[in-house]
Amino acid sequence: MGSLREELEGILSREELAKLRAFDLVGDIGILRLPPELLPKKREIGEALLRVHRHLRTVLLQVSPVSGEFRTRRLEVVAGKPRTETLHRESGCVFRVDLEKVYFSPRLAHERMRIARQVREGEEVTNLFAGVGCYSIVMARHSGARRIYSIDKNPEAFRMMCENIRINRVGDRVFPFLGDAREVVASQLRGKADRVLMPLPEAARQFVGTALEALKEEGGVVHFYDVGEDPDPFSPSLRFLEREVGGRGWSLRVMEKRLVRSYGPGIYHVVLDLLLSPGR
Ligand SMILES: C[S@@+](CC[C@H](N)C(=O)[O-])C[C@H]1O[C@@H](n2cnc3c(N)ncnc32)[C@H](O)[C@@H]1O
């Protein structure tokens, strides 16, 4: 960020420089988010980012928030080659992503490794919202998981997940499913998992029953992602979970809770690592 600011000195005013926001680097694509006041300078800022990060070939401007069931966003090319697809390297894995057709965030790299490190030898894992397969593939590469069932409803994400499974050579352990997590679990994946991942903070609350259905009879671990707010980002999620889980005849223990990242002032992407057992 510092070097982008320096590159733009003399092109943007001091007030404009102060308004620059953090950008993301995904493979050879840079993604900018700009406040309305800076939109007239989007091309100059894009060109400057290409000069500062010499491996970049394209700079995109995010022109809509991440939204909808598939968690996608609209992007506009502001510098370099006009494309939205790239290969991104993370934790010894490589992911093909089309940034306009699927969800992807490089900011979750640490969280993906944190989860992978918890997996014990021989575990079976169900990932309800796998996207292009990042959590599942990092886990296959860095843990002794035996099988990782990876579901996504977005056909484009499923297609890229299949390719990512192939290029990372984890097809003996990561099994892709196209469809709604509720239906896929009910029809094919009931009671199979020692561990369930729910990386869809905006809607994970609607899938608590599905997560319990996916777990083995004796229970297991659920990584529950949610949106939390200051001054108490975790208690509302926990109260909700206790009600939902208790109402279904299960009990829970929180093993860990953490802020994954900030969404904006006082609003966070949070995770609760839960140990779930049948009976109250
Ligand atoms: C926030 S993204 C996370 C993707 C991936 N875990 C990652 O971190 O890159 C959530 C994903 O859930 C998928 N999704 C949304 N509703 C779903 C449903 N009912 N069943 C299965 N997948 C769903 C979306 O298509 C999207 O790819």
Side-chain angles (χ1 to χ4, degrees), residues 180-194:
D180 188 296
R182 282 188 201 89
E183 289 159 24
V184 175
V185 168
S187 61
Q188 300 175 74
L189 297 174
R190 287 175 91 112
K192 285 197 183 294
D194 300 291

Side-chain angles (χ1 to χ4, degrees), residues 137-158:
I137 292 168
V138 168
M139 186 182 286
R141 185 52 71 80
H142 293 281
S143 82
R146 188 150 67 98
R147 293 202 184 92
I148 305 165
Y149 307 108
S150 291
I151 310 167
D152 206 281
K153 195 173 179 181
N154 176 353
E156 291 288 348
F158 174 78

Side-chain angles (χ1 to χ4, degrees), residues 34-53:
L34 297 176
E37 312 87 274
L38 286 186
L39 291 180
K41 301 275 174 71
K42 62 189 178 188
R43 296 202 192 282
E44 289 87 335
I45 299 170
E47 294 294 342
L49 193 61
L50 285 181
R51 291 195 297 278
V52 170
H53 291 276

Side-chain angles (χ1 to χ4, degrees), residues 28 47 212:
D28 60 2
E47 294 294 342
L212 294 176

